[in-house]
């Protein structure tokens, strides 16, 4: 079994290093999602979507299979629910777990992080949800450097 606290600490360091080399917003987004899957042996997927005028558009992806479609219209699925509520959504199914976490610039929605995690490899707990909130806060804090 994975030592969660050690894994999350390693992921914090990895994600925290992204601004050291990312020079553009797309580089920053790609770096974040690739670091999030780097310690998990490609067992799950992370997508980062940006908010547009009428839909969410996939800006970065890492993992085993695409999380969802490349473009998700507003009003469809968990992405819109997370955006409307302004908070993270966590759903479990028989074999998968889904997390959608919005991030903002002030009160304006910038985008969403979307996770698909197989239950057979990793069971999501409260510490994982706190970590994902830390990642979205990190994106919000660093976004201004890439605008």
């Amino acid at each position: 079994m994975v030592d969660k606290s050690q894994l999350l600490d390693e992921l914090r360091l990895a994600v925290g290093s992204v601004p050291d080399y990312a020079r553009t917003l797309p580089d920053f987004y790609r770096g974040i999602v690739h670091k999030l899957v780097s310690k998990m042996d490609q067992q799950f997927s992370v997508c980062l979507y940006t908010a547009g005028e009428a839909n969410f558009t996939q800006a970065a992806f890492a993992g085993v299979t695409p999380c969802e479609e490349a473009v998700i219209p507003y009003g469809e699925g968990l992405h819109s629910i997370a955006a409307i509520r302004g908070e993270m959504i966590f759903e479990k199914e028989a074999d998968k777990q889904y997390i959608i976490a919005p991030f903002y610039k002030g009160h304006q929605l910038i985008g969403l992080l979307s996770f698909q995690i197989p239950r057979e490899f990793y069971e999501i707990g409260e510490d994982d949800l706190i970590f994902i909130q830390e990642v979205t806060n990190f994106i919000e804090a660093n976004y201004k450097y890439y605008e």
Side-chain angles (χ1 to χ4, degrees):
M1 181 68 183
V2 174
D3 178 2
K4 277 193 180 190
S5 62
Q6 181 180 349
L7 172 65
L8 294 176
D9 285 345
E10 289 175 11
L11 288 172
R12 281 181 185 92
L13 288 172
V15 169
S17 72
V18 172
D20 294 344
Y21 62 84
R23 299 293 171 238
T24 66
L25 189 57
D27 288 344
F28 178 66
Y29 287 160
R30 281 189 297 273
I32 295 289
V33 298
H34 286 280
K35 294 295 183 179
L36 288 170
V37 300
S38 65
K39 302 290 182 187
M40 296 301 290
D41 298 320
Q42 303 291 319
Q43 297 173 356
F44 68 93
S45 299
V46 179
C47 290
L48 189 147
Y49 288 89
T50 56
E53 289 186 29
N55 52 48
F56 300 106
T57 303
Q58 190 179 107
F61 160 76
V64 289
T65 60
C67 290
E68 294 90 11
E69 299 298 320
V71 176
I72 300 173
Y74 289 154
E76 294 184 14
L78 294 177
H79 295 79
S80 290
I81 293 170
I84 290 167
R85 290 183 183 170
E87 62 186 31
M88 186 182 318
I89 301 285
F90 175 45
E91 295 279 328
K92 288 184 180 183
E93 290 182 358
D95 60 342
K96 286 191 179 176
Q97 305 161 97
Y98 301 93
I99 301 169
I100 311 291
F103 51 94
Y104 296 85
K105 175 184 175 187
H107 296 292
Q108 178 185 356
L109 179 67
I110 300 169
L112 303 160
L113 274 176
S114 177
F115 296 79
Q116 285 188 10
I117 303 150
R119 291 181 81 166
E120 69 180 283
F121 294 114
Y122 195 90
E123 191 71 30
I124 296 296
E126 186 66 30
D127 48 349
D128 301 297
L129 299 176
I130 291 168
F131 167 71
I132 292 170
Q133 186 62 55
E134 290 172 355
V135 172
T136 59
N137 291 344
F138 180 76
I139 293 170
E140 291 170 351
N142 284 275
Y143 178 81
K144 61 186 168 201
Y145 300 115
Y146 298 102
E147 290 188 275

